[in-house]
Amino acid sequence: MDNTARTINVLVIEDSEPDVYLIREALRLHVPNVAVEVVEDGEKAIRIIDEVDRDDQRPCPDILLLDLHLPRRSGEEALERFRRSPRCGQAPVLAMSSSESPKQRARAEELGASFFRKPSTLDEFLELGRIVRELVSCAPDEPGQT
Amino acid sequence: MEENNVDAPTCKPPETPVGSVDSLLRCAQWAGTPLGPRELWPQSLKTVFEILVSARQPMFAWWGEDLLQLHNDGCRAILGASYEAALGSSARAYWPARIPALEAALERVFGGEALTIPDVRLSMERNRRNEECCFDLRLTPIWDDQGRVGGALCVCDERPAQLGETRQLALAVGHVGVWDWDLRSGASVWSDEHFRALGLDPGACEPGYEAWASRIFCEDRVASEEGLRSAAADRRDYEHEYRVAWPDGALHWLYTRARFFHDAAAEPLRMIALTTDVTERKQAEERIASLNRDLKRRVTEFETLLEVAPVGIALANDPECRDITVNPAAAEMLGIPTVINASKSGPQGAELPFRVLREGREVSPEDLPMQQSATKGTVLRDLEYEVVQADGKVVNLIEYSAPLFEDGKVRGCLGVFVDITGRKAAERERMLLLERAQTARRTAELLNQAGLALASELDWEKLAQKITDIATQLTRAAYGAFFYDTIDAAGRTETLYTLSGTTRGAFEGFAIPRDTPLFHSTYAGQGIIRCGDVLADERYGKAPPHYGLPDGHLPVRSYLAAPVTLRSGETLGGLFFGHPEAGVFTEDDEALVAGLAAQAAVALDNARLFARVERGRQELRRVNDELRRANQDLEQFAYSASHDLQEPLRHISIYSELLRRKCEGRFDNEADELMKSVMDGARRMEMLVRDLLAYTQAVNVTGAMSEPVDAERVFQLALSNLREAIRENAAEVTHDPLPPVWAHEVHLVQLFQNLVGNAIKYRRDAEPPRVHARAERAGAEWIFSVRDNGIGIERQYRERIFGLFKRLHGGRKYAGTGIGLAICQKIVESYGGRIWVESEIGAGSTFFFTLPCPGERE
């Protein structure tokens, strides 16, 4: 499959606007043909996945970026729903947090996700794009598209 | 005849002895007899009559054909009772029956012949017994006036007795020697036994007086001969014991009994002597005599013993012990004279002036040991009695009694008494001492127990109650009280009390005991008061308004009071004890209460101290809790603050950079500088926040440590984290071997990293940093040290440097947030260790910290 030809759909659940901007910059810099869809909470994410599962024509997310510091438990509920989705349940998930603590890493592992600590320099932050590209390229293809 | 006999003395001539045959003959009323009146007798008969009367030898005259009998006094023994009746009677009724040969002989005599009938045995009464004697009867015709034989004269000649064969044999068997000695002829006949008794063979010599006397042992001879002579002269039987020397040299004792036979004229005619060898008997007698002497000596000894022995001895010679004799010692024990009957069961037993007690009760007479022993026939031992004498003196006796037997029956009893009064007294004394020692020990034990009980009680009121209860119990007081002063929260003195043995109701109505004469010395702490009877004490009843016990107060006679004085000298109160009976409290009780009061004082002192300490402790705990809460709040705040600050700081940094890049070339120099300041500030703020977070979480490591961590390895870990700085500064870091310690690895890494990092950072420009780490054992902990050759720290800052955000230098030369050492201190202190620094300006500093040794923790 030609990765460059295909559109990479990225679903981002993030409520921090500055970070959303930086995530978009990083993806745009490193992932070709990327299509980013951002929601600010879990409920909205769940609605999208519902739509994806209902409508085969609706593009399916190739990766889910999830901020661990979402208010309430909406992030986790969204992840659970994402994992139950027949179309995108096998897609990689990247959990993001601004604090580097073993607790946060452990939680990400628990959710079956990779972990990204939001760094405090621009160059480091932009590395997020490269990580996403690697995760997507390693991931198995969506069953519907093979 | 009877009447005549009665009258006879009046008619008899005075020269004739009264009652003799002569008198009879002379007085007889011959006229009334066949012989007729004496005047008419033929002359020859008259002559014969005269011969008869004058002769002593027994003679009979038989006259006429009827043999009318006349006899003289010598015949009395032969005729016996018929002596008078036979006179003038016919002899035919008496004689021919006894002498068969007499009729024939008389016929010849009446024929004119004189003849002798030999060996006529006649029984004679001699020495008041009948004895068979042998006579020769010489018969002579008595011619009458007409020349015819008118009668016969019979003269009885007694012959020496001829022993019968049987008698001889009997004597031989009995080893009785016989000597028959005819004194008129001098002829002697000795039986074989007589020879043998003299140590001679039968017939070895001519028997006779000379032969006999010569055999007698020289020492006995005179007495023997003299005795025989005098016996013959006095007409007595001879009886004598004497010794005879046998040819073999042995001395034999002989016993000879001899009788002399006399004629009518009292001339000795014959002697019969019987001799027995009594050597054996004499020897036996000798032995008996010796035994007797021995016995007598022993009896004497025994009697002396009884007299002087300090042991009382009593003897009863009857099975009921109704008569008891005692020796002087026994008499003294009983308080009676020796001469009286000491038996309580005797006739005068009730009047004896002593009483016998056993175990305090009087013993009845039949139950006394001797009586019991005699009744039951058993030995009684070791019975202890008390004898109360008339004057009340008491003697303790131990008594033994044993029955005395004779032929299997109890015949009496022997009692032995030992005076154990002294021993008893000593025993009582000993018991008393023992009891006192036991009491002392018990007191000490009780005090000890009380002390323990008191020491473990720190509650004031409970303690006071305990003291009161224990003291009341130990002194056997009916009731006890403890009045003591306390100071209440408002600082006022209040007198409280506890009671034992009664209820509070019994004291409710009365005022607290005050400083009355009786109570004064107790409240003044002047010592213990003990009264056998407080009512008789001069201090009692002096204070108004009651002047003594108030109405309704519990009755008190025995009184005991002890002050309770603290170590400070302050008298806190008093222990008071009472009993309704007098004389209850002893010296021991006093000592006990003194000890208890001292214990109580110490315990109360302790309780006071404890109360004070407890108050302080509680205060401390409260403050501690508050501090901990504040600390936790602070840390929570620090954590939240630093965490929440991180997010916007990160955005400031990143967006400043982004802005700088986006506007590259569109900013002028000034704008670039300003932008750079924004970014520096953000970075610096970020470092502070990160370190602050690290500080708040420094000891926030959970989970128990399962094993010590190897400091050696951890040190290497820290150095690898610092390798950039080490390389840049060309630092030389060395260390001695480091031990395993109880700490979390992350903490130890942080410790070494911060300290070594500081040592490199605060270097002098002149030389490269040299850092050395080592550890030294000090008791239960290790002292780690990190020494450097850096700039050093001035004395006044050596404490401050461990404070949060405390920095000595500007960030330009020595970058840092001032949190590293604060974190170090926090970690070390979380393990109970200390951290400090020693330093010399311009020469270097040494940081020390301590950690517990493995195995010493917990």
Side-chain angles (χ1 to χ4, degrees):
Chain A
M1 186 185 291
D2 186 5
N3 277 339
T4 55
R6 184 171 76 87
T7 302
I8 301 299
N9 295 300
V10 178
L11 178 60
V12 179
I13 311 173
E14 173 64 83
D15 64 341
S16 165
E17 273 182 48
D19 281 343
V20 170
Y21 179 85
L22 290 172
I23 290 166
R24 284 182 189 281
E25 280 289 306
L27 292 175
R28 192 166 46 80
L29 197 63
H30 291 289
V31 187
N33 298 325
V34 74
V36 180
E37 190 168 7
V38 177
V39 289
E40 63 206 27
D41 57 44
E43 277 175 41
K44 286 183 179 126
I46 289 168
R47 271 205 294 276
I48 290 171
I49 297 162
D50 287 346
E51 279 170 32
V52 167
D53 282 349
R54 259 199 315 272
D55 180 3
D56 281 352
Q57 298 309 305
R58 175 92 163 75
C60 171
D62 292 292
I63 187 167
L64 176 68
L65 269 58
L66 172 68
D67 180 29
L68 286 175
H69 292 280
L70 288 175
R72 299 186 299 280
R73 293 173 56 82
S74 64
E76 280 173 43
E77 279 166 24
L79 179 58
E80 198 202 340
R81 176 69 192 83
F82 185 75
R83 287 276 184 245
R84 280 198 286 111
S85 163
R87 291 186 64 195
C88 49
Q90 298 301 311
V93 175
L94 184 62
M96 303 173 297
S97 168
S98 57
S99 66
E100 162 87 76
S101 77
K103 218 158 120 191
Q104 300 287 358
R105 275 185 187 280
R107 181 141 168 253
E109 234 167 84
E110 216 176 291
L111 298 171
S114 300
F115 181 76
F116 177 74
R117 190 183 88 88
K118 295 173 183 168
S120 47
T121 63
L122 180 61
D123 290 341
E124 283 173 320
F125 205 112
L126 296 178
E127 282 300 301
L128 174 71
R130 193 190 305 280
I131 292 167
V132 169
R133 194 184 66 203
E134 279 170 14
L135 282 173
V136 169
S137 64
C138 291
D141 291 332
E142 186 193 356
Q145 289 182 345
T146 51
Chain B
M1 286 284 281
E2 287 291 319
E3 295 86 46
N4 290 345
N5 266 347
V6 170
D7 296 332
T10 57
C11 69
K12 77 175 191 291
E15 72 273 14
T16 51
V18 175
S20 73
V21 173
D22 301 348
S23 64
L24 281 172
L25 286 172
R26 290 187 200 282
C27 295
Q29 298 299 312
W30 295 107
T33 70
L35 281 173
R38 212 168 73 184
E39 297 81 23
L40 302 178
W41 292 357
Q43 190 53 50
S44 54
L45 185 58
K46 285 181 180 165
T47 310
V48 165
F49 180 84
E50 288 308 322
I51 291 167
L52 281 172
V53 168
S54 58
R56 294 202 171 277
Q57 200 172 0
M59 288 184 189
F60 296 91
W62 293 307
W63 188 257
E65 286 192 8
D66 289 335
L67 302 176
L68 299 171
Q69 180 169 302
L70 294 174
H71 52 256
N72 68 351
D73 210 32
C75 300
R76 190 193 281 257
I78 298 170
L79 291 169
S82 59
Y83 167 70
E84 283 178 43
L87 203 60
S89 307
S90 173
R92 289 192 195 280
Y94 182 76
W95 291 106
R98 296 170 190 242
I99 310 162
L102 195 61
E103 280 295 349
L106 281 174
E107 204 169 311
R108 284 166 63 188
V109 171
F110 275 94
E113 195 179 339
L115 57 91
T116 301
I117 310 175
D119 284 340
V120 174
R121 288 168 196 272
L122 289 172
S123 177
M124 285 186 69
E125 189 191 310
R126 277 189 175 149
N127 302 319
R128 286 174 299 283
R129 58 194 166 121
N130 285 322
E131 195 175 280
E132 193 158 86
C133 296
C134 193
F135 290 93
D136 291 342
L137 299 183
R138 285 187 276 116
L139 295 169
T140 315
I142 305 170
W143 303 92
D144 65 8
D145 293 346
Q146 285 77 38
R148 294 187 302 259
V149 177
L153 177 66
C154 175
V155 177
C156 304
D157 266 358
E158 194 176 356
R159 290 170 59 132
Q162 292 296 308
L163 294 176
E165 196 185 357
T166 311
R167 196 169 293 190
Q168 283 204 20
L169 284 171
L171 290 168
V173 168
H175 292 291
V176 178
V178 181
W179 175 13
D180 190 347
W181 184 16
D182 188 339
L183 294 165
R184 283 169 303 188
S185 64
S188 283
V189 178
W190 286 358
S191 72
D192 292 353
E193 282 303 320
H194 191 78
F195 278 105
R196 290 191 189 102
L198 293 172
L200 299 168
D201 292 329
C205 67
E206 187 63 31
Y209 181 83
E210 295 306 323
W212 173 70
S214 69
R215 302 299 304 169
I216 297 172
F217 182 57
C218 55
E219 287 180 14
D220 298 346
R221 193 176 299 155
V222 176
S224 303
E225 289 185 286
E226 188 55 45
L228 191 65
R229 247 193 307 282
S230 66
D234 298 345
R235 302 176 70 178
R236 286 187 290 105
D237 282 354
Y238 170 73
E239 213 171 351
H240 195 61
E241 286 179 352
Y242 54 94
R243 285 168 292 180
V244 169
W246 280 20
D248 63 3
L251 280 178
H252 280 246
W253 277 97
L254 299 186
Y255 167 68
T256 296
R257 187 183 167 90
R259 174 164 296 170
F260 291 90
F261 297 92
H262 302 78
D263 62 9
E267 280 301 310
L269 298 172
R270 190 176 172 195
M271 183 200 80
I272 303 289
L274 303 181
T275 298
T276 318
D277 188 328
V278 293
T279 307
E280 282 182 13
R281 197 199 80 208
K282 282 301 272 191
Q283 284 170 349
E285 275 176 6
E286 271 299 319
R287 276 200 300 279
I288 287 167
S290 157
L291 284 173
N292 273 342
R293 276 194 303 278
D294 207 32
L295 196 64
K296 198 166 179 186
R297 202 176 61 237
R298 286 183 190 197
V299 167
T300 310
E301 284 170 4
F302 182 63
E303 279 173 349
T304 310
L305 195 67
L306 285 184
E307 279 299 311
V308 303
V311 172
I313 295 166
L315 184 68
N317 268 317
D318 59 299
E320 282 87 31
C321 298
R322 291 169 58 78
D323 190 358
I324 297 178
T325 48
V326 292
N327 75 338
E332 197 189 326
M333 291 175 200
L334 300 175
I336 56 169
T338 42
V339 292
I340 71 170
N341 176 2
S343 173
K344 283 288 229 181
S345 58
Q348 266 83 49
E351 293 153 32
L352 285 170
F354 64 86
R355 293 184 301 131
V356 181
L357 289 85
R358 181 158 167 77
E359 286 161 1
R361 247 174 293 166
E362 181 149 9
V363 183
S364 63
E366 62 272 17
D367 286 335
L368 287 167
M370 285 181 71
Q371 278 81 347
Q372 282 283 305
S373 218
T375 310
K376 295 180 177 161
T378 53
V379 175
L380 299 176
R381 297 171 207 278
D382 300 327
L383 296 173
E384 288 189 19
Y385 292 93
E386 242 177 38
V387 171
V388 182
Q389 298 183 357
D391 58 0
K393 183 184 168 196
V394 176
V395 179
N396 290 97
L397 297 181
I398 189 161
E399 182 159 352
Y400 306 81
S401 63
L404 298 172
F405 290 99
E406 193 168 64
D407 299 332
K409 279 194 208 148
V410 174
R411 71 160 175 83
C413 184
L414 185 69
V416 177
F417 319 99
V418 178
D419 186 342
I420 55 165
T421 312
R423 204 174 82 194
K424 274 288 192 194
E427 216 167 84
R428 276 195 297 274
E429 182 71 14
R430 200 166 54 89
M431 287 303 290
L432 206 66
L433 285 173
L434 203 68
E435 210 169 286
R436 208 167 284 168
Q438 275 173 348
T439 305
R441 201 167 56 228
R442 191 176 61 97
T443 304
E445 254 170 47
L446 290 173
L447 277 178
N448 196 24
Q449 284 173 9
L452 286 174
L454 297 183
S456 62
E457 184 56 70
L458 292 165
D459 181 287
W460 257 80
E461 268 184 61
K462 281 187 192 163
L463 185 58
Q465 186 64 55
K466 244 182 197 176
I467 290 165
T468 318
D469 288 342
I470 291 170
T472 305
Q473 193 189 334
L474 296 189
T475 56
R476 302 177 306 280
Y479 10 82
F482 180 22
F483 291 92
Y484 59 97
D485 293 335
T486 57
I487 298 166
D488 66 10
R492 284 177 306 230
T493 300
E494 193 186 1
T495 302
L496 300 178
Y497 64 98
T498 56
L499 297 173
S500 193
T502 181
T503 57
R504 287 190 93 82
F507 278 84
E508 215 69 79
F510 309 121
I512 298 293
R514 293 152 308 112
D515 198 13
T516 64
L518 182 62
F519 297 136
H520 172 79
S521 60
T522 306
Y523 278 113
Q526 287 167 351
I528 292 187
I529 297 178
R530 178 167 63 97
C531 299
D533 186 357
V534 73
L535 304 185
D537 195 279
E538 58 176 12
R539 290 165 291 199
Y540 173 80
K542 295 286 188 287
H546 301 293
Y547 298 100
L549 285 170
D551 286 341
H553 193 284
L554 289 165
V556 175
R557 296 285 297 278
S558 293
Y559 174 78
L560 184 59
V564 175
T565 305
L566 301 185
R567 267 170 299 190
S568 61
E570 176 196 350
T571 296
L572 190 79
L575 285 161
F576 300 88
F577 304 96
H579 198 284
E581 285 165 30
V584 168
F585 302 125
T586 63
E587 215 169 295
D588 292 333
D589 293 331
E590 190 177 322
L592 195 72
V593 166
L596 211 53
Q599 297 260 26
V602 170
L604 286 171
D605 237 359
N606 284 344
R608 275 188 164 188
L609 279 172
F610 177 78
R612 206 173 298 156
V613 167
E614 183 62 13
R615 270 198 303 278
R617 210 160 62 87
Q618 281 172 0
E619 182 64 19
L620 207 62
R621 194 183 299 150
R622 196 182 55 77
V623 170
N624 246 356
D625 285 349
E626 276 175 16
L627 266 175
R628 195 180 302 125
R629 252 195 316 279
N631 232 10
Q632 279 170 357
D633 291 350
L634 201 64
E635 285 196 4
Q636 186 57 45
F637 166 76
Y639 175 78
S640 305
S642 53
H643 187 267
D644 292 351
L645 283 172
Q646 263 186 333
E647 200 75 352
L649 274 172
R650 187 163 52 78
H651 290 149
I652 292 170
S653 292
I654 292 174
Y655 278 87
S656 305
E657 177 68 24
L658 199 58
L659 181 63
R660 197 178 57 80
R661 284 193 200 169
K662 296 265 178 185
C663 301
E664 188 84 63
R666 282 184 274 167
F667 278 11
D668 57 9
N669 278 350
E670 195 186 355
D672 270 352
E673 277 303 308
L674 290 172
M675 201 66 222
K676 202 163 175 274
S677 291
V678 171
M679 287 170 70
D680 277 351
R683 239 193 311 279
R684 179 143 180 71
M685 180 74 178
E686 206 182 337
M687 258 167 67
L688 276 170
V689 166
R690 196 188 60 225
D691 283 356
L692 188 61
L693 202 59
Y695 175 80
T696 59
Q697 297 199 295
V699 294
N700 216 356
V701 177
T702 51
M705 290 172 286
S706 58
E707 52 185 16
V709 63
D710 181 10
E712 185 85 24
R713 188 176 58 78
V714 170
F715 190 74
Q716 296 302 338
L717 216 58
L719 291 193
S720 80
N721 289 346
L722 292 167
R723 61 180 176 273
E724 282 290 304
I726 292 170
R727 190 177 45 78
E728 279 172 18
N729 291 283
E732 182 190 320
V733 182
T734 56
H735 70 280
D736 289 351
L738 299 172
V741 288
W742 277 110
H744 283 284
E745 185 174 309
V746 289
H747 290 156
L748 205 52
V749 170
Q750 208 154 15
L751 268 173
F752 284 134
Q753 200 172 316
N754 285 349
L755 294 178
V756 176
N758 280 351
I760 294 167
K761 192 198 285 181
Y762 297 102
R763 57 169 293 184
R764 278 179 291 137
D765 293 334
E767 49 184 323
R770 277 202 318 276
V771 184
H772 185 77
R774 59 191 298 263
E776 195 180 331
R777 179 80 184 247
E781 55 187 18
W782 285 103
I783 301 174
F784 286 86
S785 59
V786 177
R787 193 185 67 228
D788 63 49
N789 59 343
I791 55 177
I793 303 161
E794 285 172 76
R795 184 169 297 278
Q796 64 264 40
Y797 302 121
R798 285 176 198 165
E799 298 253 340
R800 262 179 78 183
I801 53 169
F802 296 103
L804 201 56
F805 304 129
K806 297 297 179 195
R807 304 194 67 240
L808 303 182
H809 308 279
R812 217 162 286 275
K813 181 154 192 193
Y814 301 103
T817 56
I819 280 184
L821 286 176
I823 289 175
C824 287
Q825 187 179 44
K826 196 171 177 185
I827 288 170
V828 168
E829 286 181 354
S830 77
Y831 291 103
R834 292 156 290 129
I835 187 166
W836 70 99
V837 67
E838 290 172 7
S839 183
E840 196 182 329
I841 294 295
S845 304
T846 307
F847 281 83
F848 298 90
F849 66 91
T850 63
L851 285 175
C853 296
E856 303 289 343
R857 201 168 181 274
E858 295 297 302

